Amino acid sequence: MSLILCLLAIALLGVAAWGFRSTMLELSKWYPQEPMDTISRRFEVDSFVWSSRAPRALRRRYIATQACAIPAILCLAALVWLNETRPDVRIWGTVAFCTVSFLIAGVLAWKVIRHEV
């Protein structure tokens, strides 16, 4: 069971990373003069996606791929719950991963509702 959860988490995080990277490539088409792998470019991705400059298809792909991070983090929470032997670490680790997952879900849902995608 742990192997399946681990592989699922890796696959889902890979999809989320691919979506972020493809959005960075699209952003580099709008600003070709700047290098693509700068730290500031990574912070611009979110504002670009939610702006009117981003195509609707790109925005939907970004939302779908970033939503894959939510079950991936829940898989990590399940891995902590199943494999940690110390009860305090098991509880706090699971709570931490679940909290991060719910925060990501809430922020993504708030942005989708706010921008009426």
Side-chain angles (χ1 to χ4, degrees), residues 80-92:
V80 169
W81 184 261
L82 292 173
N83 295 317
E84 183 56 49
T85 57
R86 295 174 289 177
D88 56 338
V89 176
R90 173 188 284 179
I91 291 171
W92 287 110

Side-chain angles (χ1 to χ4, degrees), residues 13-74:
L13 287 174
V15 169
W18 170 79
F20 186 81
R21 187 75 174 160
S22 68
T23 306
M24 281 186 63
L25 289 172
E26 184 70 28
L27 180 60
S28 69
K29 292 178 186 175
W30 287 83
Y31 301 107
Q33 70 276 9
E34 294 180 30
M36 190 180 82
D37 266 345
T38 61
I39 298 294
S40 63
R41 178 63 59 95
R42 291 182 181 166
F43 286 114
E44 292 174 6
V45 167
D46 198 50
S47 61
F48 171 72
V49 166
W50 301 110
S51 71
S52 60
R53 296 175 296 175
R56 191 172 182 94
L58 174 73
R59 188 175 300 129
R60 287 186 175 174
R61 185 177 66 216
Y62 179 79
I63 292 166
T65 57
Q66 296 310 299
C68 288
I70 298 163
I73 295 172
L74 289 175

